[in-house]
Amino acid sequence: MSVKLVFGTQWGDEGKGKVVDYYAEKADIVVRYQGGNNAGHTIKIGDEVFKFHLLPSGVVRKGKTAVIGNGVVVDPKVLISEIEEIRKRGIEPNLVISDRAHVIMPYHRLLDGAEEVFRGKKKVGTTGRGIGPCYSDKIARLGIRMGELIDPEVLRERLEFIIPMKNRIFEAYGMEERLDVDEVFREYSEYGRYLRGMVGDTIEFLHKNMDKEILLEGAQGAMLDVDFGTYPYTTSSSTIGGGASTGSGIPPNAIKEITGVVKAYTTRVGMGPFPTEQENEIGKHLCEKGHEFGTTTGRARRCGWLDLVVVKHALRLTGADGIAITKIDVLEGLETIKVAYAYQVDGKKITYFPAKTDGIKPLYKEFQGWNMTSGEWEKVKEGGIDALPLNVREYLKFIEGETGVKIRMISYGPAREETVEL
Ligand code: IMP
């Protein structure tokens, strides 16, 4: 029995959902440890499709426990609507929410919008869900935790202290909105009442169950990490492996298998540096063939070539011991395919991802494209990468060679059976 971790190595949307889903089937407990309803994933079980922003993937599988760890920020309204949605479909969630997880309050959403307006041209392009302001309050020790949301007396006391502060900030920003303690209390104490039975000490729960199969499910990607990503164009949580520990209470040395999910090309939503971006026909091909539109916001994603400088940065920060390649089929139909393996900065070649990204120019290796039938992909099930045609094999071997990490899984289509463990 062991703890496994699946995380994204790019800017999110790597196709983690499918990989997590594969591992979730074998897990007893699935844990989300960071982020909030800025994420979005789709789970297909048989003909049923579930779309979640906040609930961990394991929640729709019988006999599994889903955990929302202390590192997650929880919008209770969204959480309740997702619980209601699966209840309507006849599934009773087996869910434990950390009493230490922070609550996204209405002022967080309002401030997320206001801060973006003030940033003007330098806006982050957030999902507008209040994620950043909620994490800011957590660090500033002004947050409200789930354990407080479910205790009406404490909740009122916290609101009486915090709301006047937030109203003064709204005023300073020139915003018209003002929040009323009674109104917010009425709405949020109801949410607390609904969720009370599911809130508990997830640290105690997880440590008592360390002999079981536990899956830690990352949201977003390493390049959106607040420390190691393209700051300030990042999210506000720790999306690398370290975040899995601080966001769940599971010690780092308990994590025995770490899979980094690598999409065969790169996408990002929102603003910020993207060295291999292709604002041309290539980008259009990737966006259309890969259906690259956000699950949470519906925005078209920016698309570009695979960037192994980014992937290496992510794999080494998290200590990944395996790679899951996703959406390799999307590259089909391109005559030549490029992969960035280094950057040129001020005339010098570097192979690491720098803190300052101004003026970096990717150095590419070029590959011949390929066209494959689904039958040809099937061969990977028996013979692994070596059974694939030369061009695609060269592409995959180059990824392994440059990163020094083996490909453990490959996904070449949207169907469940098109994700293969090697
Ligand atoms: P926030 O997390 O809403 O504050 O947004 C900060 C940045 O992270 C923006 O560029 C978002 O587009 C991006 N982001 C947040 N969550 C996701 C995700 O699940 N996938 C991809 N990008 C995300």
Side-chain angles (χ1 to χ4, degrees), residues 210 271 355:
M210 289 294 268
M271 314 299 281

Side-chain angles (χ1 to χ4, degrees), residues 11-13 16 38-40 112 124-132 219-221 224 233-236 268-271 296 299 301:
W11 278 277
D13 309 310
K16 277 184 302 294
N38 46 351
D112 199 349
V124 177
T126 72
T127 59
R129 306 294 195 260
I131 307 292
Q220 286 87 42
L224 290 171
Y233 299 99
T234 60
T235 190
S236 299
R268 90 169 285 178
V269 272
M271 314 299 281
T296 301
R299 290 181 285 183
R301 295 176 184 140

Side-chain angles (χ1 to χ4, degrees), residues 76 80 149-151 187-197:
I80 291 169
L149 181 80
I150 61 170
D151 183 334
E187 184 181 348
Y188 280 74
S189 56
E190 266 309 298
Y191 298 150
R193 197 183 54 76
Y194 182 104
L195 295 168
R196 195 168 297 144

Side-chain angles (χ1 to χ4, degrees), residues 24 278 418:
Q278 299 296 305
E418 290 169 317

